[in-house]
Amino acid sequence: MNRVSDAAAMREALRQARLAVATGDVPVGAAVLAPDGAVIGRGCNAREATGDPTAHAEVVAIRAAAAHRGEWRLDGCTVAVTLEPCTMCAGAMVLARVARLVYGADDPKAGAVGSLWDVVRDRRLNHRLEVRRGVLAEESAALLRSFFTDQRDG
C-alpha cells in the first residue's frame, strides 16, 4: 500500500474518531482495509457508549472486519488507527493476523507499538506486523488535545 492510500485510510479513521466525541468517548478511530484497499471494518472508541472496557476503536473495527470476512483471520489486511494502539489492541491485531498497522499519533503513556512496548513486532510471538507510524499524526493529536481541553474546561 502506498503513502496516498495510507493517508486515505487515516482520513477514514479520523472520520470515525470524530463520531466518538458525540458519546463522550475519547476520539480514537480505526478502519480495516482488505488487501485490495476496500474498507471492511470501521470503529471508534465506544467504552462510554457501551460500558464495554474492550470497546476500543481497533477492537470494534477488527470485529466488524472479521464479521465481514466471515472468519477471524485478517491476513493481508491493514488497520489504520489515529492513536498508537494499547497492549490489548496490539495483541488483538497479532491474534487476528493483521498484516500492516498504520497509525497517527504516538501514545507515550500507553502505546504498545514502540512507545512503552512493541507487541506487534515481538519476535517471541507467532505473528508480526509491518508498521507505519506518524501518518496524519498532527491531525490525530490535535483532535485528542481538543477533546481533553474541552473535558478540562467543561
Side-chain angles (χ1 to χ4, degrees), residues 30-98:
V32 179
L33 286 74
D36 68 0
V39 177
I40 60 171
R42 293 175 174 85
C44 64
N45 272 356
R47 292 183 308 168
E48 297 297 329
T50 63
D52 178 356
T54 69
H56 289 203
E58 301 94 311
V59 171
V60 172
I62 287 168
R63 287 176 180 159
H68 176 85
R69 277 196 156 182
E71 64 173 325
W72 62 267
R73 287 180 190 84
L74 298 179
D75 297 320
C77 292
T78 296
V79 172
V81 61
T82 57
L83 182 65
E84 178 182 358
C86 69
T87 53
M88 175 184 69
C89 295
M93 287 181 228
V94 169
L95 293 173
R97 310 299 192 267
V98 169

